[in-house]
Amino acid sequence: MSVNRWIPLENNPEVLNSWSSKAGLVTAQAVFEDVYGLDPELLGMVNQPVKAVLLLFPISDALEAKRREEDAKIKSEGQPLLDSTVVWIKQTIPNACGTIGLLHALLNSDLTFVPESPLAQFIDECKGKTPEERAKHLETTPLFANIHAEAASGGQTVVPTDLDTNLHFTCFVRAPSIRGPDAPGSYRIIELDGRREGPVDRGEYTDFLTDVAKIVKDTYLANSSSVQFSMVALGPGSEA
């Protein structure tokens, strides 16, 4: 059975916050805001503490080659410090990377959700499921399809008639190391991308947003000549 291709989602705080609110996040807890650049002065404008970062990037041959190389290394060597509680979802729905990225950001950020909301239901219905089973649940239930469609249609750009796109979302979250909270390197940056073979441990961090920016520079910008990059941060809401 073929899976419907969703409309691509904009990496726009207004769109992402609308999606999150409709899905069940109490937005007073946390909101998405633009990251206008990777220089220290621009990173300093972002409200702290940052809980997660969403990056929209253009897929290129160089980035695809790097992805395959990293996935092969992870498959052969493993990631011994990766915490098992990190929630990762395999992407099987075309153009659903925006919703997958939002789920990765919100479900790994110690947030609470409105009871019986789509986010609360997804957590409850996916307990103990594999990443592939979570993906199947997204395919076969309407929990997020309508929310995604509404958010994608409410952006600043016209909905494209050609739904093929080379732009893709990935997410960076903070996660504890299995070493424990008091050990050196006890908190790590984890990259979550539904197209990968699993979560990617990017190592320990000193300042989460600053170190994510360095990863984006070294891993993504260094392997692309495109300017079609955009980044948003999930940070304190009005009640923080």
Side-chain angles (χ1 to χ4, degrees):
M1 181 180 70
S2 62
V3 179
N4 289 334
R5 184 182 296 270
W6 289 10
I7 302 169
L9 204 62
E10 278 185 31
N11 197 22
N12 174 331
E14 183 177 351
V15 170
L16 303 184
N17 287 324
S18 173
W19 185 104
S20 301
S21 177
K22 290 175 181 176
L25 174 68
V26 179
T27 52
Q29 292 180 89
V31 294
F32 290 96
E33 64 174 304
D34 280 313
V35 178
Y36 290 106
L38 303 182
D39 295 332
E41 295 79 9
L42 295 174
L43 295 176
M45 296 171 59
V46 179
N47 290 317
Q48 296 285 345
V50 171
K51 297 177 179 291
V53 171
L54 282 174
L55 172 71
L56 183 67
F57 67 93
I59 297 171
S60 66
D61 291 342
L63 284 171
E64 287 295 275
K66 189 170 185 63
R67 176 176 67 89
R68 288 190 293 269
E69 178 185 347
E70 286 182 340
D71 283 350
K73 184 176 180 180
I74 290 170
K75 191 173 182 179
S76 64
E77 299 180 8
Q79 299 180 100
L81 297 178
L82 183 66
D83 185 78
S84 61
T85 63
V86 171
V87 177
W88 177 71
I89 305 162
K90 188 73 175 175
Q91 182 184 339
T92 55
I93 304 171
N95 292 343
C97 59
T99 282
I100 298 290
L102 282 161
L103 288 171
H104 283 153
L106 297 171
L107 299 182
N108 290 287
S109 294
D110 296 325
L111 298 168
T112 56
F113 308 113
V114 176
E116 306 303 320
S117 66
L119 282 166
Q121 289 182 60
F122 186 78
I123 291 171
D124 184 60
E125 293 167 6
C126 288
K127 285 179 181 175
K129 293 187 181 295
T130 66
E132 290 77 15
E133 288 169 338
R134 294 171 192 144
K136 190 66 177 177
H137 194 61
L138 283 179
E139 288 181 24
T140 56
T141 67
L143 277 178
F144 299 105
N146 293 336
I147 296 172
H148 180 106
E150 289 177 20
S153 301
Q156 295 178 353
T157 57
V158 176
V159 175
T161 55
D162 182 0
L163 297 182
D164 288 329
T165 178
N166 74 328
L167 298 177
H168 184 71
F169 279 91
T170 192
C171 178
F172 299 90
V173 300
R174 305 180 298 177
S177 164
I178 62 170
R179 289 172 174 164
D182 299 323
S186 55
Y187 292 94
R188 308 182 71 79
I189 297 173
I190 307 299
E191 182 175 357
L192 301 170
D193 180 341
R195 294 176 67 244
R196 304 297 294 259
E197 292 301 316
V200 181
D201 185 347
R202 293 294 185 190
E204 63 185 89
Y205 65 86
T206 303
D207 178 87
F208 179 69
L209 181 59
T210 298
D211 291 346
V212 167
K214 185 177 187 306
I215 293 167
V216 170
K217 286 180 183 177
D218 295 346
T219 304
Y220 287 92
L221 297 182
N223 287 282
S224 175
S225 59
S226 174
V227 296
Q228 291 183 292
F229 288 85
S230 63
M231 204 160 88
V232 298
L234 178 65
S238 59
E239 293 184 359

